[in-house]
Amino acid sequence: MNPLNSIHLNGLRAIEAVGRLGSLQAAADELGVTVGAVSQQVIKAEAQLGRTVFERTARGMRPTPFGAPFLRKLSAGFRELAEAVGNARHRDDTILVISVAPIFASRWLIHRIHQFSAAHPEISLRIESTTALADLSGSDVDLGIRIGPGTWPGVQAEFVLPQEMFPVCTPDLAKRLKTPADLVDMPAVIDANDEFTWDRWLAAAGLDQPPPRTRHVFSDASLCLDAALAGQGVLLAWPILASWALAEGRLVAPFGIRVKTGMGYYFITAPDVREPRKVTLFKTWMRRAIAESIGDDGGGGPIPAPAAAPPSSP
């Protein structure tokens, strides 16, 4: 008799989630049910197993001596199941599903996606625009593109290029900028969510002076770019955000000083999964397209394929 016939799968899922996440609340959030439902599933599954998996303590749920190795095997089993489901959903080699941040999609990818389609007409793209890190093992997403430190758990991160910041503005505003010191008299468009500040860029330029005066503050980098395009001020931008506007001449980068933020762009894929041809083709195309777009704004040459280490902090 198969021992799985004597226990409900939902109970095992609840036990695994509590053990992996460390609390009933976190497990409930992941599974999309109430804390009470998770607790009841755990209790029922323990009764079906005939063993206690968790000790209930003032600090939460702690694995018993039996529970600790049991949870490790349970987590490994659910990873295998997630990979099997993911592989089943990935079987269509003519559709490539990409998860990408909205700003990357709207400000870089959408302007160049026709190039990939022209080179590989046999592959259709489905773009999922979201800031959340996709579940690459349990969904039909083939490839994620994210900016960050490259240390996300449970995924394979492949470095593409570092994020660099530099001032951009309209050609008319640039006429008033002869040296970086002239920025002190300029209005600035500020991204409220950006941790990189004007002070860091000015220091890299060898200047000890106040930053440009704040004119408008936005909570979205795409709106910041629109404000800069409208001539509202100088913006600290990065190549992926501003490359299309720079290539069209609607914005200019008046100075050649770029400062690394310590973050980078990464391809995100499921770990321990053989890479499909469609993913390889897209990654190769995107590296070439990024190199060309950075060249458009005078930022440098080709992007090396794949670097083993994340970008160094500035």
Side-chain angles (χ1 to χ4, degrees):
M1 176 181 175
N2 189 329
L4 287 176
N5 293 338
S6 63
I7 187 167
H8 291 297
L9 183 61
N10 282 344
L12 292 178
R13 287 184 67 204
I15 285 177
E16 190 278 334
V18 172
R20 173 168 45 83
L21 299 173
S23 74
L24 291 170
Q25 183 63 64
D29 291 341
E30 179 176 277
L31 297 174
V33 298
T34 65
V35 171
V38 173
S39 178
Q40 289 301 312
Q41 288 172 349
V42 169
I43 292 171
K44 186 174 182 178
E46 286 181 320
Q48 292 171 335
L49 287 168
R51 305 291 294 270
T52 301
V53 180
F54 298 105
E55 295 178 1
R56 280 70 171 173
T57 71
R59 295 184 177 181
M61 309 281 278
R62 185 172 65 185
T64 64
F66 159 77
F70 177 74
L71 287 168
R72 287 194 295 271
K73 291 183 179 180
L74 204 57
S75 291
F78 274 106
R79 283 196 298 271
E80 290 289 330
L81 285 173
E83 182 178 331
V85 172
N87 287 340
R89 291 177 173 176
H90 285 83
R91 62 177 177 263
D92 190 345
D93 290 333
T94 67
I95 300 175
L96 176 62
V97 183
I98 303 172
S99 173
V100 61
I103 291 174
F104 188 98
S106 64
R107 295 300 184 176
W108 189 89
L109 186 58
I110 198 67
H111 296 291
R112 299 170 175 85
I113 204 170
H114 64 282
Q115 299 171 2
F116 177 80
S117 297
H120 304 287
E122 75 282 8
I123 299 175
S124 297
L125 297 181
R126 196 179 91 208
I127 308 298
E128 296 192 355
S129 178
T130 175
T131 57
L133 189 65
D135 178 7
L136 296 169
S137 295
S139 73
D140 60 350
V141 174
D142 297 293
L143 176 68
I145 303 169
R146 287 292 179 271
I147 184 171
T151 55
W152 301 280
V155 300
Q156 180 172 301
E158 181 181 318
F159 175 59
V160 180
L161 80 161
Q163 186 193 49
E164 298 176 315
M165 304 294 283
F166 55 95
V168 298
C169 63
T170 60
D172 285 343
L173 287 181
K175 293 175 183 177
R176 297 158 51 185
L177 298 172
K178 304 303 181 184
T179 69
D182 295 332
L183 286 166
V184 71
D185 297 320
M186 296 291 289
V189 175
I190 303 297
D191 182 352
N193 294 319
D194 193 354
E195 297 180 359
F196 189 90
T197 65
W198 272 101
D199 292 336
R200 290 178 61 185
W201 186 88
L202 290 168
L207 298 175
D208 182 13
Q209 67 179 49
R213 69 182 192 279
T214 299
R215 185 169 190 177
H216 298 302
V217 178
F218 299 91
S219 62
D220 180 82
S222 190
L223 289 176
C224 289
L225 186 69
D226 287 335
L229 286 165
Q232 298 299 318
V234 182
L235 170 68
L236 270 179
W238 57 96
I240 293 298
L241 175 67
S243 63
W244 192 255
L246 290 166
E248 290 190 327
R250 298 179 63 192
L251 291 178
V252 296
F255 312 110
I257 303 169
R258 297 188 177 205
V259 181
K260 289 184 173 64
T261 67
M263 309 289 268
Y265 288 89
Y266 290 82
F267 292 130
I268 306 298
T269 53
D272 304 320
V273 175
R274 183 177 179 180
E275 182 171 287
R277 175 178 176 272
K278 59 185 178 180
V279 172
T280 302
L281 290 174
F282 185 86
K283 287 163 63 175
T284 300
W285 167 81
M286 193 178 123
R287 285 186 180 278
R288 183 167 56 250
I290 285 179
E292 291 172 354
S293 69
I294 290 178
D296 287 342
D297 63 38
I303 305 301
S312 58
S313 298

